[in-house]
Amino acid sequence: MQEKNRGLALFTYLVFLFLLGPLLIISITSFEGGSILKFPPEEFSFRWYINIFDVQMFLTTFKTSIIVSLAGNLFALLLGVPAAYALSRFEFKGKKIVDAIFVSPILIPGIVLGFSFLRYIVGVYQLPIYTALFIGHTVIMLPFIIRVISSSLSNFDFSIEEAAESLGAGKIRTFFTVVLPNIKSGIIAAVMIAFLESFNNVDISVFMTGPGVSTFPIQMLTYVENYFDPTIAAISVLLMVITAFFMFMVERLMGLSYFTKR
């Protein structure tokens, strides 16, 4: 039995090494002082971290990704909160179909969804690039918003809402003063997850971008095609740190949301 546990532990360590090994190698190579990406580094330097801010296209596309992600996130939130509330609060005919429609952007392969957006949003309706990006990113964020907020609402005791209404509060006032404050942490967690999904998205953005307009991940791919220095490794490390921080905050917020309902 002890040998079996040791074998399982060894297998677990190998899986973690397989998953985390490439991230560790990228992190180390990002500090290479030379002009070529290599492992192990010959010298230690922050040169390529500084170079990130010297490349104008990185700054421009970073700004574009932030604006598109925040704008799409806001609109997805305006649609997702009422949708999550309705799906959690009420039983109605066709509920499963509606739920499946909201989840479909996650289930459909990104490249298929991106090509569909290109075909209709850009090709048929000929919308501007920024508008197309906004619509595409809103669609891919909406399922995450709905799922996370629905999870938070599953812990909410709707009898509190009914008690507020019985004391004279209207439905809208009850929603904003009773329901929303109780799922606040879930909403913040949903916003963080949706933002990460949008900001790091490639398969949708690659079809929605055009001349003079690009997103940060697409610019990273373009840079790799033309240069082989550790700049992308440095960017990857920064993105990993930011993502890890966001996911840590999401875990804390969802944990807080769960235990405060108990």
Side-chain angles (χ1 to χ4, degrees), residues 73-87:
N73 208 324
L74 177 60
F75 195 68
L77 196 63
L78 293 176
L79 295 176
V81 172
Y85 175 79
L87 290 171

Side-chain angles (χ1 to χ4, degrees), residues 64 67-76 78-79 117 121 127-142 198 204-205 208 215:
T64 300
I67 293 174
V68 170
S69 297
L70 291 179
N73 208 324
L74 177 60
F75 195 68
L78 293 176
L79 295 176
F117 287 156
I121 296 178
L127 297 179
I129 294 177
Y130 280 107
T131 303
L133 276 172
F134 169 75
I135 294 174
H137 282 248
T138 300
V139 170
I140 62 175
M141 283 190 280
L142 190 58
S198 172
I204 302 295
S205 300
M208 298 289 99
T215 60

Side-chain angles (χ1 to χ4, degrees), residues 139-158:
V139 170
I140 62 175
M141 283 190 280
L142 190 58
F144 295 94
I145 294 286
I146 292 177
R147 282 303 172 190
V148 176
I149 295 179
S150 294
S151 176
S152 185
L153 282 168
S154 66
N155 298 318
F156 178 70
D157 186 359
F158 286 102

Side-chain angles (χ1 to χ4, degrees), residues 61-62 65-66 69 137 194-201 216-217 239:
T61 54
F62 181 82
S65 289
I66 290 292
S69 297
H137 282 248
F195 177 83
L196 288 176
E197 171 64 21
S198 172
F199 185 85
N200 295 319
N201 181 269
F216 194 64
L239 292 179

Side-chain angles (χ1 to χ4, degrees), residues 16-28:
F16 274 107
L17 181 63
F18 176 78
L19 295 175
L20 301 179
L23 303 182
L24 180 62
I25 292 175
I26 289 295
S27 300
I28 295 174

Side-chain angles (χ1 to χ4, degrees), residues 218-251:
I218 303 303
Q219 183 58 38
M220 291 174 63
L221 291 176
T222 304
Y223 191 89
V224 169
E225 292 177 357
N226 299 286
Y227 303 94
F228 199 62
D229 59 51
T231 301
I232 298 301
I235 294 176
S236 300
V237 171
L238 294 179
L239 292 179
M240 283 190 287
V241 171
I242 294 173
T243 301
F245 172 75
F246 268 57
M247 296 314 296
F248 172 77
M249 294 302 298
V250 167
E251 183 182 2

